[in-house]
Amino acid sequence: MYRFLLTPRWWGINVFVLLAIPFCVFMGSWQLSRFEDRVQDGRAVTEQVASGRNEAARPLAAMLPVDKSTAGRRASASGRYGKQLLVPGRELDGRSGFYVLTLLRTGSGKALPVVRGWLPGTADPAKVPAPPRGEVTVTGALQASETPGSSGVGAQGGLPAGQTGVISSAALVNLVPYRLYDAWITLDRGDAGMKAVPATAPDGTGLDLKAFQNLGYTGEWFVFAGFVLFMWFRLLRREVEAQRDAELGLVTQEHPTPVAGG
């Protein structure tokens, strides 16, 4: 009854199934491992940020470029404050407000974005304390440049002058007349009575949108593997039933209707 499995048609079906299922399982397992890696990286960075609060700050130059091993660790830099920008639409402790971002012009010729603190309400320059004058040394958690869509970051457009939606060198390069570090610092203690902004894990770690995409792809690959197997069994059952009906004489052949005058 199962000799039909040796026909060329079924050879093709069987080879496809034998290749498709392991491939789907492999891809699903790989996506699951990517999800687990992101979660593990997020936990490691969170623990790193927590432990970094008690460690001595290191010079900024020794901490660059920002990666998983340096994100959230304490860094220090010296210079003079320059242009100041506001970052609207940022929540802290369940309240809506904005960051106060001031560019620190360092002796290297580059400027370092420094989040001096957070204030509640609508972004308004009149609410913002002026930055300290003269030479200052800042100490805080080192952060990687943000990207739109990451936690707490919206792709805002059409903002008023003096505001930016994203803290990144790519976004700030058109707003300030300085060369910029591809990093920023959030102060350990908020400046001039402002609330300090806690450090966050860099993009691509933790339970962010990309992590849930990996988890979703995992489910899709495993579902597709199950669908391939289900369709194979369904085709096999139809073929077996057709063979059985033929043996029992239940399959009738339709004869062509004779043509008059033929």
Side-chain angles (χ1 to χ4, degrees):
M1 181 178 293
Y2 292 96
R3 291 181 180 178
F4 63 85
L5 292 173
L6 301 178
T7 61
R9 172 173 172 267
W10 271 94
W11 264 106
I13 294 174
N14 293 335
V15 169
F16 171 78
V17 171
L18 290 175
L19 293 177
I21 291 178
F23 177 76
C24 292
V25 172
F26 169 77
M27 291 300 297
S29 301
W30 180 77
Q31 290 289 351
L32 182 60
S33 69
R34 292 290 297 152
F35 170 77
E36 293 173 343
D37 288 344
R38 291 181 187 277
V39 173
Q40 182 59 37
D41 288 343
R43 288 175 180 169
V45 172
T46 300
E47 293 172 358
Q48 181 172 287
V49 171
S51 62
R53 295 170 186 164
N54 300 320
E55 68 180 13
R58 298 176 59 191
L60 176 66
M63 304 287 281
L64 298 177
V66 185
D67 56 23
K68 294 175 183 177
S69 65
T70 58
R73 293 194 177 277
R74 295 178 75 237
S76 63
S78 299
R80 293 175 179 270
Y81 279 125
K83 188 174 179 62
Q84 185 162 271
L85 298 167
L86 306 182
V87 188
R90 298 303 177 100
E91 290 190 359
L92 189 61
D93 296 334
R95 300 175 64 192
S96 179
F98 60 97
Y99 293 170
V100 177
L101 178 70
T102 311
L103 280 298
L104 183 73
R105 302 175 65 182
T106 67
S108 69
K110 289 185 176 181
L112 174 68
V114 177
V115 172
R116 295 171 51 224
W118 174 91
L119 290 172
T122 305
D124 183 357
K127 301 178 182 178
V128 180
R133 295 185 178 182
E135 188 81 9
V136 297
T137 297
V138 300
T139 303
L142 187 65
Q143 300 280 262
S145 290
E146 296 178 331
T147 56
S150 59
S151 180
V153 181
Q156 302 183 52
L159 293 173
Q163 296 187 18
T164 180
V166 181
I167 306 174
S168 73
S169 56
L172 297 174
V173 68
N174 297 319
L175 301 177
V176 298
Y178 318 126
R179 292 190 299 125
L180 298 165
Y181 285 105
D182 189 18
W184 57 283
I185 278 181
T186 174
L187 296 183
D188 290 336
R189 295 180 179 85
D191 195 8
M194 292 184 288
K195 198 161 188 176
V197 174
T200 59
D203 293 344
T205 61
L207 290 175
D208 58 3
L209 179 60
K210 291 182 180 179
F212 284 111
Q213 286 179 338
N214 289 132
L215 190 59
Y217 294 147
T218 299
E220 289 179 1
W221 282 113
F222 286 143
V223 167
F224 188 68
F227 177 75
V228 170
L229 191 61
F230 167 76
M231 290 302 298
W232 183 84
F233 274 112
R234 186 174 180 181
L235 289 173
L236 178 67
R237 188 176 67 179
R238 285 179 56 186
E239 193 77 26
V240 169
E241 290 175 350
Q243 293 277 352
R244 188 174 299 155
D245 290 346
E247 291 175 0
L248 296 175
L250 300 178
V251 178
T252 59
Q253 294 185 347
E254 294 184 359
H255 298 283
T257 302
V259 179

